[in-house]
């Protein structure tokens, strides 16, 4: 097989390998070289007519395109996120039904973790050191590293982690509130046993306020704070912080794992560094895993609102009721309107240059492949960025497409494990939630093997099915829950970034 034709009404197909002039693929004679992962026309597409993949629009033809010709950014015009042309979101009428069968997996899955007194379940038991303001970043880093690179006792699932960020001061009120919410949610995550908040003292987002809100949300949690100014400077702050963290770590090591199930999973789904194979292999396989988690009573988060632009007509049909369906549509179209108001074309920012090189031609094409990672379960709720996930089932969280801002938002919402699909490759990982990386193709899996856990390229190669790889992902979730370190954890990734809403003042 040299090409994949996805939808029954698609007028393009994807090359599984580089194609040369004269090759016959899917009964189409190739008229020009087609790079691996890129599209070729399977029928004539007249200028101005829709280019269709996944049974949906991915743009319109800028010129007449003949069967066998390469179809990409040089002859496709995107229809969505076009702030350079439009003043409001385009209304493109599409009625698409995707299959609705939901995988349930094996009869039962057992895993272990740390049952918190509020009923939440942690797969890690870390001590988190976090700044309330970027002025505290270096002190936070030195506290955490001072403990971790000492001879203090620790376990792989119980150790000191830290994050830095560029926020906490010179922020307008609503922007500062978002910063505070993300810090509080991150610290309240059940994968965190205890937290030390380090402030400077004069910032907008005050350390004592953050600590109080963490304790209010997670009363069982050990929470301490102090300010560098009140402590008497850098060295005194580091010494005090290390003493606090060592004591917390000693207490955390007394905690014992207990048995849980997939009902205890809050799975964050993410795709980044995507290519054209992401929507054909890794994302559908993650969708199988997502459905299995939901079927066993767990929670799944679908995020990346940017990368749902052009696929909202499919997702909205999966709303559990009319209210949720309307919230899905308004959230995605509202996000797109912000892009349009910038008077710029979204293409080039998203899809990025790497996405484009990997065969993605428009935000619509990227989104239509992205949505597969949410499986086929109904959407039960729509949440704002970083807000707590309170429902079992599939929740849509409004986040940017930026990998680390999205990941941080899901973790702040309570995600205790994340599966991150990638076509081009990425080392990204949360310091708090185990982040399992799945490649869409075998080249990337081999090329970045020290950063990627699973290979869905076997689907493209025809050696495994989407269902088989989906089951492998569930098994990897269980193994990570039981304490096996992901590649991101082995590499000590501590990626953390907050979605900024306003200018610095």
């Amino acid at each position: 097989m040299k090409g994949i034709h996805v939808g029954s009404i698609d007028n393009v197909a994807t090359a599984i390998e580089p194609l040369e002039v004269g090759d016959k693929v899917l009964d189409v004679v190739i008229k020009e070289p087609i790079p691996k992962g890129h599209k070729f026309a399977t029928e004539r597409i007249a200028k101005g007519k829709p280019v269709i993949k996944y049974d949906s629009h991915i743009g319109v033809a800028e010129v007449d395109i003949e069967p066998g010709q390469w179809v990409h950014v040089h002859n496709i015009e995107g229809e969505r996120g076009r702030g350079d042309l439009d003043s409001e979101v385009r209304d493109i009428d599409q009625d698409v039904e995707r299959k609705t069968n939901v995988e349930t997996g094996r009869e039962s899955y057992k895993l272990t973790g740390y049952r918190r007194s509020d009923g939440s379940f942690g797969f890690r038991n870390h001590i988190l050191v976090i700044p309330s303001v970027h002025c505290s970043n270096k002190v936070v880093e030195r506290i955490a590293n001072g403990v971790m690179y000492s001879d203090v006792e620790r376990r792989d699932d119980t150790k000191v982690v830290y994050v830095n960020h560029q926020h906490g001061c010179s922020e307008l009120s609503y922007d500062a509130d978002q910063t505070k919410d993300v810090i509080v949610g991150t610290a309240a995550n059940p994968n965190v046993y205890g937290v030390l908040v380090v402030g400077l003292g004069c910032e907008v987002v005050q350390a004592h306020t953050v600590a109080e809100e963490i304790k209010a949300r997670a009363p069982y949690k050990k929470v301490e704070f102090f300010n560098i100014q009140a402590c008497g400077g850098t060295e005194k702050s580091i010494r005090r912080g290390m003493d606090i963290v060592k004591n917390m770590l000693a207490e955390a090591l007394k905690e014992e794992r207990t048995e849980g199930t997939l009902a205890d999973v809050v799975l964050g789904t993410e795709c980044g560094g995507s290519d054209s194979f992401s929507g054909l292999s890794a994302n559908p396989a993650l969708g199988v895993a997502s459905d299995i988690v939901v079927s066993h009573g767990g929670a799944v988060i679908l995020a990346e609102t940017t990368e749902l632009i052009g696929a909202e007509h499919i997702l909205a049909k999966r709303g559990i009721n009319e209210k949720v369906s309307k919230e899905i549509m308004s959230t995605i179209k509202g996000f797109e309107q912000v892009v349009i108001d910038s008077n710029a074309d979204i293409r080039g920012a998203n899809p990025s240059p790497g996405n484009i090189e990997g065969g993605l031609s428009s935000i619509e094409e990227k989104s239509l492949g992205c949505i597969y990672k949410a499986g086929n379960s109904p959407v039960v709720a729509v949440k704002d960025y970083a807000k707590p996930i309170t429902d079992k089932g599939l929740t849509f969280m409004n986040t940017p497409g930026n990998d680390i801002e999205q990941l941080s938002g899901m973790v702040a919402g309570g995600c205790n494990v994340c599966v991150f699909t990638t076509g081009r490759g990425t080392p990204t990982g949360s310091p708090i939630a185990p982040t399992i990386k799945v490649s869409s193709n075998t080249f990337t899996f081999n090329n970045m093997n020290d950063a990627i856990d699973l290979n869905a390229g076997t689907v493209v190669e025809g050696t495994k099915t989407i269902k088989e790889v989906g089951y492998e992902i569930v098994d990897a979730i269980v193994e990570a829950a039981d304490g096996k370190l992901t590649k991101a954890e082995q590499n000590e990734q501590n990626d953390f970034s907050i979605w900024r809403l306003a200018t610095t003042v």
Side-chain angles (χ1 to χ4, degrees):
M1 182 176 64
K2 293 184 177 181
I4 294 180
H5 194 253
V6 184
S8 60
I9 65 171
D10 290 3
N11 53 19
V12 295
T14 302
I16 300 304
E17 59 186 60
L19 303 179
E20 302 297 333
V21 175
D23 287 347
K24 191 171 183 180
V25 184
L26 302 175
D27 294 324
V28 175
V29 177
I30 301 302
K31 291 186 169 60
E32 58 184 318
I34 311 295
K36 179 179 179 179
H38 286 238
K39 296 175 293 299
F40 60 92
T42 56
E43 59 187 75
R44 189 176 189 275
I45 309 172
K47 179 180 179 179
K49 294 297 183 181
V51 179
I52 299 175
K53 183 179 176 183
Y54 303 114
D55 289 325
S56 296
H57 289 211
I58 64 168
V60 295
E62 291 189 277
V63 297
D64 291 338
I65 304 173
E66 299 299 326
Q69 286 190 315
W70 184 23
V71 180
H72 199 32
V73 292
H74 61 287
N75 55 12
I76 293 182
E77 180 95 346
E79 296 178 278
R80 304 294 297 274
R82 295 304 302 269
D84 57 328
L85 300 176
D86 302 333
S87 60
E88 58 185 29
V89 175
R90 297 186 193 185
D91 187 14
I92 301 171
D93 186 26
Q94 300 184 81
D95 187 17
V96 178
E97 293 285 351
R98 283 190 174 174
K99 65 180 182 179
T100 56
N101 59 302
V102 174
E103 288 289 342
T104 58
R106 295 191 289 273
E107 184 175 343
S108 65
Y109 294 84
K110 292 184 178 180
L111 45 77
T112 62
Y114 298 91
R115 179 74 64 191
R116 308 306 183 186
S117 61
D118 63 354
S120 62
F121 205 69
F123 299 136
R124 298 294 181 264
N125 195 43
H126 295 322
I127 307 303
L128 173 66
V129 190
I130 192 167
S132 66
V133 63
H134 59 89
C135 309
S136 305
N137 281 347
K138 181 53 69 173
V139 167
V140 161
E141 180 181 346
R142 289 185 61 186
I143 290 169
N145 287 340
V147 176
M148 285 309 296
Y149 294 112
S150 70
D151 59 359
V152 69
E153 184 183 356
R154 87 289 305 268
R155 295 192 300 261
D156 283 342
D157 72 345
T158 305
K159 60 185 181 183
V160 181
V161 296
Y162 76 95
V163 296
N164 285 162
H165 60 82
Q166 300 303 312
H167 309 274
C169 203
S170 304
E171 290 184 89
L172 297 174
S173 59
Y174 64 97
D175 199 26
D177 285 343
Q178 174 130 306
T179 294
K180 175 169 60 64
D181 286 349
V182 176
I183 296 172
V184 169
T186 302
N189 188 289
N191 287 353
V192 175
Y193 172 84
V195 58
L196 170 61
V197 184
V198 181
L200 177 60
C202 54
E203 63 271 18
V204 172
V205 179
Q206 286 281 306
H208 72 87
T209 303
V210 171
E212 289 166 3
E213 293 199 17
I214 295 167
K215 196 68 177 176
R217 188 181 298 188
Y220 65 86
K221 203 175 293 284
K222 302 288 183 180
V223 184
E224 299 259 7
F225 78 92
F226 64 78
N227 291 316
I228 296 168
Q229 291 168 348
C231 216
T234 298
E235 292 302 325
K236 289 180 180 178
S237 296
I238 293 167
R239 287 196 295 272
R240 180 176 178 184
M242 287 180 62
D243 287 342
I244 291 170
V245 168
K246 285 179 179 179
N247 288 333
M248 281 189 184
L249 183 57
E251 292 181 17
L253 287 167
K254 297 175 185 176
E255 296 288 302
E256 295 183 357
R257 283 181 167 267
T258 58
E259 199 168 89
T261 68
L262 288 185
D264 295 307
V265 170
V266 182
L267 171 63
T269 66
E270 182 162 6
C271 53
S274 300
D275 67 358
S276 64
F277 293 129
S278 295
L280 304 175
S281 61
N283 288 345
L286 177 50
V288 169
S290 296
D291 281 342
I292 291 172
V293 170
V294 170
S295 296
H296 285 259
V300 175
I301 307 171
L302 172 67
E304 299 176 289
T305 309
T306 325
E307 293 164 19
L308 297 173
I309 294 171
E312 70 281 349
H313 58 292
I314 297 171
L315 190 64
K317 284 188 174 183
R318 291 168 52 187
I320 199 166
N321 53 42
E322 185 179 1
K323 175 178 179 290
V324 171
S325 294
K326 286 182 177 179
E327 287 176 346
I328 291 168
M329 291 295 285
S330 63
T331 299
I332 297 171
K333 289 192 171 185
F335 199 110
E336 183 182 3
Q337 188 62 51
V338 173
V339 174
I340 289 172
D341 289 344
S342 70
N343 301 315
D345 183 359
I346 195 172
R347 188 162 71 182
N350 204 338
S352 68
N355 298 148
I356 292 169
E357 186 178 342
L360 296 173
S361 303
S362 65
I363 189 60
E364 300 96 294
E365 182 181 6
K366 188 175 184 181
S367 296
L368 290 161
C370 172
I371 198 176
Y372 276 107
K373 63 183 186 282
N376 296 314
S377 300
V379 181
V380 298
V382 178
K383 294 282 188 177
D384 286 334
Y385 182 72
K387 296 302 182 184
I389 301 300
T390 54
D391 299 270
K392 299 293 188 179
L394 176 63
T395 292
F396 165 38
M397 178 183 283
N398 181 26
T399 78
N402 178 274
D403 293 345
I404 299 173
E405 289 183 0
Q406 182 220 337
L407 179 60
S408 301
M410 293 193 301
V411 171
C415 157
N416 54 15
V417 63
C418 179
V419 177
F420 188 135
T421 68
T422 182
R424 309 289 287 177
T426 177
T428 300
S430 167
I432 293 165
T435 306
I436 301 164
K437 240 73 66 54
V438 184
S439 68
S440 71
N441 63 85
T442 299
F443 171 81
T444 297
F445 178 72
N446 292 331
N447 185 53
M448 293 188 62
N449 189 253
D450 66 345
I452 298 177
D453 302 274
L454 297 173
N455 179 25
T458 50
V459 173
V460 178
E461 294 161 356
T463 59
K464 289 184 179 177
T465 65
I466 288 170
K467 179 178 177 179
E468 286 172 334
V469 176
Y471 277 56
E472 288 179 358
I473 292 173
V474 177
D475 288 341
I477 291 170
V478 172
E479 289 174 352
D482 285 341
K484 180 180 178 180
L485 295 184
T486 65
K487 297 285 182 70
E489 289 178 300
Q490 293 172 28
N491 294 333
E492 298 183 350
Q493 293 289 144
N494 69 330
D495 297 305
F496 182 78
S497 185
I498 300 170
W499 182 13
R500 192 74 182 251
L501 300 177
T503 187
T504 302
V505 294

